[in-house]
Amino acid sequence: MKQYIACLLFLCSSFLAAQNFEDTWKGFFSYVSVKAISKSSEKVYVAAENSVFTYDLITREIETISTINGLSGEEISSIYYSEGFGVLVVGYENGLLDVIVDDEEGILNIVDIFEKPTIPPDRKTINDFFEFDGNLYISTDFGISLFDLQRLEFGDTYFIGDLGAQVIITQTTVLEPYIYASSSVFGVKRAMVNDDNLIDFAQWETISTGSITGIQTLGDEIYIARANNSVALYDEGVGFTTIETLSSRIRDFRTVDDVLTITQAGSIRAYGLGYSLESVVNNTLPDFDFQLQSGISFGNTFYLGTINDGLLIVPFGTTQVTQALPDGPILNKPFALDTSPGQLWVTFGEVDANNNPFTPNPSQFGISNLREEAWTNIPYEQLESLSSDNNPTDFVNVIINPNDPNEVYMCSFLGGLLRINDQTPDAFLDETNSNLEEVLFPAPNPNDPPRNAGIRLYGADYDSQGSLWVTQALSNDAILRQTGPNQFQKVDISDFLDPLGDQAFIDMKISREGFVFMSSANNGVVGYNPATGAFNKITEGDGNGNLPNKNSRAIALDRQNRLWIGTKRGLRVLFNVGGFFEEGGTVEAQEIIILDNGVPQELLFQQTITDIQVDGSNNKWIATATSGVFYLSPNGQETLLRFTKDNSPLPSNNVQDIAIDEVTGRVYFATVNGLVAFEGTSTAPQDDLENVYAFPNPVRPGFTGNVTIDGLTARANVKITDIEGNLVFETTSQGGSVQWDTKAFGQYKVASGVYVVMITTDDALETKVSKIMIVR
């Protein structure tokens, strides 16, 4: 009876109708790793790591589905399309289900399994789907759940381990009158598929033991895949008999249209009725050195799900390959970003919370560049060829030359400095071809030789003279200024602090005075004045700088020359940057106090801040490790926007980096689960008023957003009047744009009509008049 009650808890499905964000967001996901594949008569449905794409079998057109359309953004583990019901179901590692119904708007995020408190979080993975008689049998790490494809709701759940225990079910299949379930724990069990009491574990009999990775029906026969790479056929009264043993692990095992497909890392095989081999593809395809993790075959064609090459389509008996792969970056783990007008660079280096590049091994990933909405991906092998030591790893930062956007530098936190010209890597600067030097670490045992810690470069910025500055960790020469293509001026900081006591100088910003500021892992914010050679720092605690934590992760100088500081435990602002090196004074950063329902609160209290960016209106974009992104007014007193995984297409609340295209206002977010962009409206100030425009214009009935007036100079005066000259709005631009809520001084919506926009530059030497049509 207890088991029956537990199962009934699944009968009331909980789902959320996901929002579509296509009007205001763009997704830039990687589709190279194909986790699972399903099909209809018209399309192939392909599950990448946390997004989906479809391949039209007739037109060969590719369409993508991601968090922008309402997908959950979590790690996908399985996918299934029901042709009879026109329903696509996506299953996730954490138990979530996304359901997309043909010809209906939106995506349903079903949270029953995800929120089930009686199932441990690590036992909720969706392993497989099998459709029978209108129900979807969902194989999970805890048992089998039924999902009604007509009503889109859960039915019973079967816990069929010993005494009703939760156990891993790898696959299910039906060959009437039985339903079969395979498990890596108990082997294979079966029960009468039409038994009304399948929730009773005693109704399930064990017909094979061992670790079984899959079970499929082929015609009127049952086949299993064992963990020892063998395939076995079931014979009633005899049991399972091994019919073939393969040379490596079976990664996917499934039947489609009476063809059983067996996928291994280096090959894929198709078997017809009676287990007759119909075709094989080995890893000998021209132009593709693939590794497989999923696969199906139908219509005398293989569909190969690779780890790095997307979907490969190969007709039986040929080596002709069609690659189906949506445009995107190399990986879904962007770490560092930088933009210049019209382009974005992305690196995928990774260090852990302690700034250790060995996590557990140095990252050997390529890099990606977005230009004109198309991606150019540079493979790691191309970077590796530039170095005789083969150590261009862990690219943790990227910076575009502001005077030459075709020149890009990337900091390796183990090897040196990569230079790219016009999308072509042309130099990797290290100890062999520059005056950069490797760091030698003292060994734990005094009798052992020093350990080589590499060249640990991280923060970077350009000064007003166009010189590149870079930070270096674990070295006396912690500050480097490039003086030639292969030469660096070195600044020794060992008289000021012990460089071995700081694992990383993470961020670098140079003020309008030429002061060099570095955020550090163990010393707060360190400042250097090149003109005098003076150093200073602020760290945690009253009297020491008032930082909430000595681990400073991000710094940014805003348009008023204030230094915003993000730490592991909160936010501070240094208002007097010019006085940072004054003798005898105490430099203290300040917290920002806001009123939360009338109660004073510290802004971003205890938040781990990973990046801070300032947009064209001097507003602040602040990324956090656990709470998404905050968009703040210039003084931080107002939160203009807050993006999280729950209210936006962010695929994770752990946001590593932010980059802003100052011409378009687009804001890119690098999260641990992928790259997305918000189509922002704050742009950099212009030199004149030649390109002023307002959008949307006209404002049509039903529009509820703000009108943006773009192309402004800094501190331009903007007045809006009705056609009779009555003033309804006035402001001064902070950057290159302002927004109007179409209200008369924020009180009431203005009526339909033509409104005149009068703009005057700060020096009153230039004016511009524009018009906005509003239709209510």
Side-chain angles (χ1 to χ4, degrees), residues 511-538:
S511 73
R512 62 180 60 161
E513 301 90 349
F515 299 160
V516 179
F517 292 98
M518 305 184 297
S519 67
S520 73
N522 297 311
N523 285 283
V525 174
V526 178
Y528 168 65
N529 185 352
T532 64
F535 289 95
N536 196 10
K537 72 175 182 178
I538 55 175

Side-chain angles (χ1 to χ4, degrees), residues 99 496 534:
V99 176
F496 179 69

Side-chain angles (χ1 to χ4, degrees), residues 262-310:
I262 301 177
T263 305
Q264 301 166 271
S267 68
I268 186 168
R269 299 163 180 256
Y271 296 85
L273 297 178
Y275 202 72
S276 60
L277 183 63
E278 295 192 353
S279 189
V280 178
V281 169
N282 293 311
N283 196 350
T284 56
L285 295 178
D287 301 324
F288 292 100
D289 183 19
F290 63 74
Q291 277 193 298
L292 302 181
Q293 57 186 341
S294 60
I296 62 173
S297 52
F298 63 92
N300 294 320
T301 303
F302 284 113
Y303 296 84
L304 289 69
T306 73
I307 293 177
N308 295 309
D309 297 303

Side-chain angles (χ1 to χ4, degrees), residues 60 281 284-286 288 301-302 304 312-323:
R60 298 190 176 186
V281 169
T284 56
L285 295 178
F288 292 100
T301 303
F302 284 113
L304 289 69
L312 302 182
I313 304 168
V314 183
F316 285 2
T318 76
T319 57
Q320 301 171 3
V321 184
T322 299
Q323 183 182 37

Side-chain angles (χ1 to χ4, degrees), residues 7-168:
C7 295
L8 285 179
L9 295 179
F10 270 106
L11 289 175
C12 298
S13 291
S14 301
F15 62 84
L16 303 172
Q19 184 177 349
N20 188 302
F21 296 94
E22 289 179 292
D23 291 340
T24 53
W25 290 77
K26 286 191 70 75
F28 300 101
F29 292 95
S30 173
Y31 296 87
V32 300
S33 179
V34 174
K35 305 290 288 296
I37 309 170
S38 188
K39 54 86 68 173
S40 70
S41 59
E42 298 177 348
K43 294 181 180 181
V44 178
Y45 297 85
V46 185
E49 290 173 318
N50 60 352
S51 49
V52 171
F53 70 91
T54 62
Y55 175 79
D56 192 293
L57 293 169
I58 304 300
T59 67
R60 298 190 176 186
E61 292 179 338
I62 294 174
E63 295 182 356
T64 61
I65 309 170
S66 70
T67 60
I68 306 300
N69 312 99
L71 281 188
S72 301
E74 300 293 334
E75 186 173 354
I76 297 175
S77 54
S78 191
I79 190 170
Y80 177 75
Y81 180 79
S82 170
E83 186 123 34
F85 292 92
V87 173
L88 178 68
V89 185
V90 183
Y92 294 87
E93 297 278 354
N94 64 1
L96 283 171
L97 290 180
D98 282 339
V99 176
I100 306 171
V101 181
D102 287 353
D103 301 323
E104 290 190 14
E105 294 290 332
I107 296 175
L108 300 180
N109 305 138
I110 300 180
V111 299
D112 295 62
I113 296 174
F114 175 72
E115 293 184 347
K116 186 67 174 172
T118 57
I119 301 173
D122 60 349
R123 300 296 298 271
K124 297 183 178 183
T125 299
I126 308 298
N127 296 319
D128 193 57
F129 298 108
F130 180 79
E131 181 182 350
F132 177 74
D133 198 22
N135 284 317
L136 199 60
Y137 290 80
I138 306 175
S139 301
T140 73
D141 273 5
F142 60 83
I144 305 168
S145 286
L146 264 65
F147 187 75
D148 189 315
L149 288 167
Q150 178 67 47
R151 301 171 63 183
L152 300 181
E153 65 180 25
F154 275 103
D156 293 337
T157 291
Y158 309 144
F159 301 108
I160 62 174
D162 292 343
L163 302 178
Q166 298 179 12
V167 292
I168 298 172

